[in-house]
Amino acid sequence: VLHAAAVGVLGDRVPEYSLAIWHGINWPLIMSVAGVAGGVALYFGLRRAVDIHRLSPRSLGFRVFHWLLDRLLGASRRVTATLENGSLQRYLGWMVLAALAVGFAPFFDGGRLGLLDGAGQPMPALGWLLWTLIVAGALATAALRRQRLVALIVIGAVGLGVSLAFVFLSAPDLALTQLLVEMVTITLMLLALNYLPQQGALDDRPLRRWRDAAIALGAGGGVAAMIYAIITRPLDTVAGEMLARSVPQGGGTNVVNVILVDIRGFDTMGEIAVFGMGGLVVHALLRHARMNPEQVVPGPADRPLVPILVSQLLFPLAIAVALYLFLRGHNLPGGGFIAGLVLTVPLILQYVVSGSQYVENRIGFDYGRGIGIGLLIALATGFAAMGFGLPFLTSAHIHPHLPVIGELPLASAMGFDTGVLLVVFGAAMLALAMMGRIHTAPEPSPTESRR
């Protein structure tokens, strides 16, 4: 407004450099600072004249304001008491309902599901068999939900079926990741079940059962519709551009790995940061509940020789396999995420067979420190590109010819993948190790209870 007034009054007499300076001033910031400074000055000025904290205004507006404020606080307390009642089942239900609301919101604003956008190809018999096994396993998990250990074994079979489905769809990277994540997740859930009753509580209230069934059907149907809409879309998507850019710009023939560590490396950086934070949060929550290593996972009492030898032989073999998958990940199925999980599985086996004290004394690896080192390596790889005047996490690749080996493809993204490996291994092992060390107080005897 002031600028327009000045131009209207002075016209051409306003110098150009004055207008440039005027436009360069951050007026919102100046007005905000002036407002805060004026408020502080007014407050201290009133404080010198009168004790404003002892004033009791009795105006109608003041009383209405406090009445509305009290009603608002009371409503918030009632809502909080209704929602946060300590029921994990209710928390999970609200999370699923929120996800459903977000997923279906676009369709109330003119969106469309697009189920018939593309003509699907007929599925071979093997695909139908895998689909039937996965659905049957999911239904069996729901039916056996009260027998928690049996339900966990069945849902593990569902994860294996999903891995086989990825193999059937020619996605070996996803198959390896799904299989290894399933193994680590089942182990983590077994540790959690150790502190829960063997059977879930039976709830015969029909209304609650119908409510839970409706939520489950809505979530499952929404995910199924979304997946069907994706797989029936036309094939002229961004995937073709990713395939075209993978080799010339990323220097790798494994498009999945190139996308993760190069094209969308910034997303992966955020994901490993969240993964590492999750492991550290588990450590922070459970570190005061730790027992001595031999009291937690002491291993079998008779120390069987054959399982111990097998587990000890598997670990160096797992290191070799993890190194192999890590080095080939940029051009063939593998990568840092898969390699980190490959290291996790045999180490957990050693915890079970040999005991925690033996493993921790022999390995001597600080999982929390490994998370920090991995994140620092990933960040250093990203900032190294900025040193050459390129954007963060821009990768470079060379293909030198060595006398005996021949052509050796090297990419700077390998440094970033190293950080991924350390974060995944450290976070997974930290969570699993801490879950195996929760101290549970023994239940008091009837005599002690009476006392």
mmCIF file of all heavy atoms in Angstrom, residues 63-89:
data_model
loop_
_atom_site.group_PDB
_atom_site.id
_atom_site.type_symbol
_atom_site.label_atom_id
_atom_site.label_comp_id
_atom_site.label_asym_id
_atom_site.label_seq_id
_atom_site.Cartn_x
_atom_site.Cartn_y
_atom_site.Cartn_z
ATOM 1 N N ARG A 63 -15.783 -13.128 31.067
ATOM 2 C CA ARG A 63 -16.437 -14.293 31.652
ATOM 3 C C ARG A 63 -16.849 -15.296 30.564
ATOM 4 O O ARG A 63 -16.725 -16.508 30.750
ATOM 5 C CB ARG A 63 -17.648 -13.844 32.469
ATOM 6 C CG ARG A 63 -17.282 -13.077 33.740
ATOM 7 C CD ARG A 63 -18.479 -12.993 34.670
ATOM 8 N NE ARG A 63 -19.557 -12.221 34.070
ATOM 9 C CZ ARG A 63 -19.713 -10.909 34.218
ATOM 10 N NH1 ARG A 63 -18.846 -10.217 34.941
ATOM 11 N NH2 ARG A 63 -20.747 -10.289 33.663
ATOM 12 N N VAL A 64 -17.327 -14.808 29.429
ATOM 13 C CA VAL A 64 -17.698 -15.704 28.331
ATOM 14 C C VAL A 64 -16.470 -16.434 27.801
ATOM 15 O O VAL A 64 -16.507 -17.641 27.504
ATOM 16 C CB VAL A 64 -18.396 -14.912 27.211
ATOM 17 C CG1 VAL A 64 -18.566 -15.768 25.963
ATOM 18 C CG2 VAL A 64 -19.736 -14.394 27.689
ATOM 19 N N PHE A 65 -15.358 -15.714 27.708
ATOM 20 C CA PHE A 65 -14.127 -16.341 27.215
ATOM 21 C C PHE A 65 -13.712 -17.489 28.119
ATOM 22 O O PHE A 65 -13.384 -18.595 27.645
ATOM 23 C CB PHE A 65 -13.022 -15.287 27.124
ATOM 24 C CG PHE A 65 -11.665 -15.871 26.878
ATOM 25 C CD1 PHE A 65 -11.290 -16.320 25.614
ATOM 26 C CD2 PHE A 65 -10.747 -15.981 27.920
ATOM 27 C CE1 PHE A 65 -10.033 -16.860 25.394
ATOM 28 C CE2 PHE A 65 -9.502 -16.522 27.707
ATOM 29 C CZ PHE A 65 -9.133 -16.966 26.444
ATOM 30 N N HIS A 66 -13.702 -17.259 29.424
ATOM 31 C CA HIS A 66 -13.280 -18.312 30.338
ATOM 32 C C HIS A 66 -14.292 -19.449 30.378
ATOM 33 O O HIS A 66 -13.911 -20.618 30.564
ATOM 34 C CB HIS A 66 -13.060 -17.732 31.740
ATOM 35 C CG HIS A 66 -11.701 -17.138 31.925
ATOM 36 N ND1 HIS A 66 -10.593 -17.877 32.257
ATOM 37 C CD2 HIS A 66 -11.264 -15.863 31.768
ATOM 38 C CE1 HIS A 66 -9.533 -17.105 32.349
ATOM 39 N NE2 HIS A 66 -9.909 -15.862 32.042
ATOM 40 N N TRP A 67 -15.574 -19.138 30.221
ATOM 41 C CA TRP A 67 -16.569 -20.206 30.185
ATOM 42 C C TRP A 67 -16.353 -21.090 28.967
ATOM 43 O O TRP A 67 -16.390 -22.324 29.066
ATOM 44 C CB TRP A 67 -17.962 -19.594 30.142
ATOM 45 C CG TRP A 67 -19.063 -20.628 30.137
ATOM 46 C CD1 TRP A 67 -19.595 -21.255 31.217
ATOM 47 C CD2 TRP A 67 -19.731 -21.155 28.989
ATOM 48 N NE1 TRP A 67 -20.569 -22.147 30.836
ATOM 49 C CE2 TRP A 67 -20.670 -22.110 29.458
ATOM 50 C CE3 TRP A 67 -19.640 -20.929 27.628
ATOM 51 C CZ2 TRP A 67 -21.496 -22.821 28.595
ATOM 52 C CZ3 TRP A 67 -20.462 -21.631 26.771
ATOM 53 C CH2 TRP A 67 -21.376 -22.555 27.238
ATOM 54 N N LEU A 68 -16.104 -20.507 27.803
ATOM 55 C CA LEU A 68 -15.827 -21.285 26.592
ATOM 56 C C LEU A 68 -14.527 -22.077 26.738
ATOM 57 O O LEU A 68 -14.442 -23.232 26.296
ATOM 58 C CB LEU A 68 -15.747 -20.352 25.379
ATOM 59 C CG LEU A 68 -17.052 -19.684 24.943
ATOM 60 C CD1 LEU A 68 -16.789 -18.695 23.817
ATOM 61 C CD2 LEU A 68 -18.062 -20.733 24.498
ATOM 62 N N LEU A 69 -13.542 -21.468 27.366
ATOM 63 C CA LEU A 69 -12.279 -22.174 27.559
ATOM 64 C C LEU A 69 -12.455 -23.388 28.463
ATOM 65 O O LEU A 69 -11.916 -24.471 28.185
ATOM 66 C CB LEU A 69 -11.245 -21.215 28.146
ATOM 67 C CG LEU A 69 -9.820 -21.758 28.319
ATOM 68 C CD1 LEU A 69 -9.236 -22.141 26.964
ATOM 69 C CD2 LEU A 69 -8.930 -20.726 29.001
ATOM 70 N N ASP A 70 -13.228 -23.250 29.529
ATOM 71 C CA ASP A 70 -13.485 -24.383 30.420
ATOM 72 C C ASP A 70 -14.248 -25.493 29.700
ATOM 73 O O ASP A 70 -13.970 -26.680 29.879
ATOM 74 C CB ASP A 70 -14.269 -23.919 31.644
ATOM 75 C CG ASP A 70 -13.442 -23.011 32.537
ATOM 76 O OD1 ASP A 70 -12.201 -23.067 32.439
ATOM 77 O OD2 ASP A 70 -14.053 -22.240 33.310
ATOM 78 N N ARG A 71 -15.249 -25.117 28.889
ATOM 79 C CA ARG A 71 -16.003 -26.132 28.135
ATOM 80 C C ARG A 71 -15.094 -26.860 27.145
ATOM 81 O O ARG A 71 -15.205 -28.071 26.961
ATOM 82 C CB ARG A 71 -17.163 -25.467 27.385
ATOM 83 C CG ARG A 71 -18.170 -24.715 28.228
ATOM 84 C CD ARG A 71 -19.046 -25.631 29.086
ATOM 85 N NE ARG A 71 -18.412 -26.093 30.327
ATOM 86 C CZ ARG A 71 -18.226 -25.317 31.390
ATOM 87 N NH1 ARG A 71 -18.633 -24.058 31.380
ATOM 88 N NH2 ARG A 71 -17.656 -25.807 32.465
ATOM 89 N N LEU A 72 -14.203 -26.107 26.492
ATOM 90 C CA LEU A 72 -13.294 -26.727 25.524
ATOM 91 C C LEU A 72 -12.333 -27.700 26.195
ATOM 92 O O LEU A 72 -12.100 -28.812 25.705
ATOM 93 C CB LEU A 72 -12.518 -25.640 24.777
ATOM 94 C CG LEU A 72 -11.538 -26.102 23.705
ATOM 95 C CD1 LEU A 72 -12.280 -26.835 22.589
ATOM 96 C CD2 LEU A 72 -10.764 -24.928 23.137
ATOM 97 N N LEU A 73 -11.788 -27.302 27.350
ATOM 98 C CA LEU A 73 -10.880 -28.194 28.076
ATOM 99 C C LEU A 73 -11.612 -29.423 28.581
ATOM 100 O O LEU A 73 -11.077 -30.543 28.549
ATOM 101 C CB LEU A 73 -10.239 -27.440 29.240
ATOM 102 C CG LEU A 73 -9.253 -26.325 28.860
ATOM 103 C CD1 LEU A 73 -8.773 -25.592 30.096
ATOM 104 C CD2 LEU A 73 -8.063 -26.907 28.091
ATOM 105 N N GLY A 74 -12.851 -29.247 29.057
ATOM 106 C CA GLY A 74 -13.620 -30.402 29.504
ATOM 107 C C GLY A 74 -13.923 -31.366 28.370
ATOM 108 O O GLY A 74 -13.829 -32.589 28.532
ATOM 109 N N ALA A 75 -14.272 -30.831 27.192
ATOM 110 C CA ALA A 75 -14.523 -31.708 26.040
ATOM 111 C C ALA A 75 -13.272 -32.450 25.626
ATOM 112 O O ALA A 75 -13.320 -33.642 25.286
ATOM 113 C CB ALA A 75 -15.069 -30.875 24.876
ATOM 114 N N SER A 76 -12.122 -31.768 25.659
ATOM 115 C CA SER A 76 -10.874 -32.444 25.282
ATOM 116 C C SER A 76 -10.534 -33.550 26.271
ATOM 117 O O SER A 76 -10.043 -34.613 25.873
ATOM 118 C CB SER A 76 -9.740 -31.424 25.211
ATOM 119 O OG SER A 76 -9.452 -30.886 26.484
ATOM 120 N N ARG A 77 -10.817 -33.327 27.560
ATOM 121 C CA ARG A 77 -10.554 -34.382 28.549
ATOM 122 C C ARG A 77 -11.457 -35.592 28.313
ATOM 123 O O ARG A 77 -11.014 -36.740 28.438
ATOM 124 C CB ARG A 77 -10.758 -33.841 29.963
ATOM 125 C CG ARG A 77 -9.766 -32.762 30.384
ATOM 126 C CD ARG A 77 -9.896 -32.459 31.870
ATOM 127 N NE ARG A 77 -9.099 -31.309 32.236
ATOM 128 C CZ ARG A 77 -9.574 -30.078 32.373
ATOM 129 N NH1 ARG A 77 -10.869 -29.859 32.180
ATOM 130 N NH2 ARG A 77 -8.788 -29.084 32.721
ATOM 131 N N ARG A 78 -12.722 -35.352 27.981
ATOM 132 C CA ARG A 78 -13.631 -36.471 27.729
ATOM 133 C C ARG A 78 -13.218 -37.251 26.476
ATOM 134 O O ARG A 78 -13.257 -38.485 26.470
ATOM 135 C CB ARG A 78 -15.063 -35.947 27.591
ATOM 136 C CG ARG A 78 -15.674 -35.467 28.900
ATOM 137 C CD ARG A 78 -17.167 -35.221 28.737
ATOM 138 N NE ARG A 78 -17.427 -34.117 27.821
ATOM 139 C CZ ARG A 78 -17.500 -32.827 28.201
ATOM 140 N NH1 ARG A 78 -17.314 -32.509 29.474
ATOM 141 N NH2 ARG A 78 -17.774 -31.898 27.321
ATOM 142 N N VAL A 79 -12.824 -36.538 25.431
ATOM 143 C CA VAL A 79 -12.379 -37.225 24.209
ATOM 144 C C VAL A 79 -11.117 -38.030 24.483
ATOM 145 O O VAL A 79 -10.976 -39.175 24.033
ATOM 146 C CB VAL A 79 -12.153 -36.198 23.083
ATOM 147 C CG1 VAL A 79 -11.492 -36.863 21.882
ATOM 148 C CG2 VAL A 79 -13.466 -35.566 22.667
ATOM 149 N N THR A 80 -10.187 -37.447 25.237
ATOM 150 C CA THR A 80 -8.946 -38.155 25.554
ATOM 151 C C THR A 80 -9.235 -39.403 26.390
ATOM 152 O O THR A 80 -8.667 -40.475 26.152
ATOM 153 C CB THR A 80 -7.989 -37.221 26.304
ATOM 154 O OG1 THR A 80 -7.734 -36.069 25.500
ATOM 155 C CG2 THR A 80 -6.679 -37.927 26.607
ATOM 156 N N ALA A 81 -10.124 -39.276 27.378
ATOM 157 C CA ALA A 81 -10.459 -40.441 28.212
ATOM 158 C C ALA A 81 -11.157 -41.522 27.402
ATOM 159 O O ALA A 81 -11.000 -42.717 27.682
ATOM 160 C CB ALA A 81 -11.353 -39.997 29.365
ATOM 161 N N THR A 82 -11.910 -41.132 26.369
ATOM 162 C CA THR A 82 -12.599 -42.123 25.533
ATOM 163 C C THR A 82 -11.638 -42.846 24.609
ATOM 164 O O THR A 82 -11.715 -44.069 24.437
ATOM 165 C CB THR A 82 -13.704 -41.446 24.710
ATOM 166 O OG1 THR A 82 -14.616 -40.783 25.603
ATOM 167 C CG2 THR A 82 -14.461 -42.456 23.877
ATOM 168 N N LEU A 83 -10.720 -42.103 24.021
ATOM 169 C CA LEU A 83 -9.809 -42.700 23.046
ATOM 170 C C LEU A 83 -8.642 -43.423 23.715
ATOM 171 O O LEU A 83 -8.302 -44.542 23.356
ATOM 172 C CB LEU A 83 -9.274 -41.616 22.099
ATOM 173 C CG LEU A 83 -10.306 -40.914 21.212
ATOM 174 C CD1 LEU A 83 -9.635 -39.847 20.370
ATOM 175 C CD2 LEU A 83 -11.015 -41.920 20.321
ATOM 176 N N GLU A 84 -8.014 -42.807 24.690
ATOM 177 C CA GLU A 84 -6.818 -43.367 25.320
ATOM 178 C C GLU A 84 -7.222 -44.111 26.591
ATOM 179 O O GLU A 84 -7.058 -43.618 27.704
ATOM 180 C CB GLU A 84 -5.818 -42.263 25.630
ATOM 181 C CG GLU A 84 -5.311 -41.540 24.397
ATOM 182 C CD GLU A 84 -4.249 -40.526 24.720
ATOM 183 O OE1 GLU A 84 -3.844 -40.453 25.898
ATOM 184 O OE2 GLU A 84 -3.814 -39.813 23.801
ATOM 185 N N ASN A 85 -7.752 -45.309 26.387
ATOM 186 C CA ASN A 85 -8.190 -46.119 27.530
ATOM 187 C C ASN A 85 -7.258 -47.293 27.789
ATOM 188 O O ASN A 85 -7.591 -48.195 28.553
ATOM 189 C CB ASN A 85 -9.606 -46.632 27.280
ATOM 190 C CG ASN A 85 -9.678 -47.569 26.086
ATOM 191 O OD1 ASN A 85 -8.788 -47.563 25.227
ATOM 192 N ND2 ASN A 85 -10.736 -48.354 26.013
ATOM 193 N N GLY A 86 -6.098 -47.325 27.144
ATOM 194 C CA GLY A 86 -5.136 -48.408 27.355
ATOM 195 C C GLY A 86 -5.363 -49.636 26.516
ATOM 196 O O GLY A 86 -4.637 -50.622 26.674
ATOM 197 N N SER A 87 -6.328 -49.622 25.597
ATOM 198 C CA SER A 87 -6.617 -50.785 24.764
ATOM 199 C C SER A 87 -5.825 -50.692 23.463
ATOM 200 O O SER A 87 -6.071 -49.802 22.639
ATOM 201 C CB SER A 87 -8.122 -50.864 24.463
ATOM 202 O OG SER A 87 -8.385 -51.873 23.513
ATOM 203 N N LEU A 88 -4.865 -51.600 23.277
ATOM 204 C CA LEU A 88 -4.093 -51.612 22.037
ATOM 205 C C LEU A 88 -4.978 -51.925 20.840
ATOM 206 O O LEU A 88 -4.746 -51.429 19.729
ATOM 207 C CB LEU A 88 -2.954 -52.636 22.144
ATOM 208 C CG LEU A 88 -1.890 -52.353 23.207
ATOM 209 C CD1 LEU A 88 -0.858 -53.476 23.225
ATOM 210 C CD2 LEU A 88 -1.208 -51.027 22.945
ATOM 211 N N GLN A 89 -5.998 -52.752 21.060
ATOM 212 C CA GLN A 89 -6.914 -53.087 19.975
ATOM 213 C C GLN A 89 -7.660 -51.849 19.491
ATOM 214 O O GLN A 89 -7.835 -51.633 18.296
ATOM 215 C CB GLN A 89 -7.907 -54.148 20.434
ATOM 216 C CG GLN A 89 -8.838 -54.655 19.336
ATOM 217 C CD GLN A 89 -9.798 -55.709 19.840
ATOM 218 O OE1 GLN A 89 -9.918 -55.903 21.036
ATOM 219 N NE2 GLN A 89 -10.461 -56.386 18.940
#
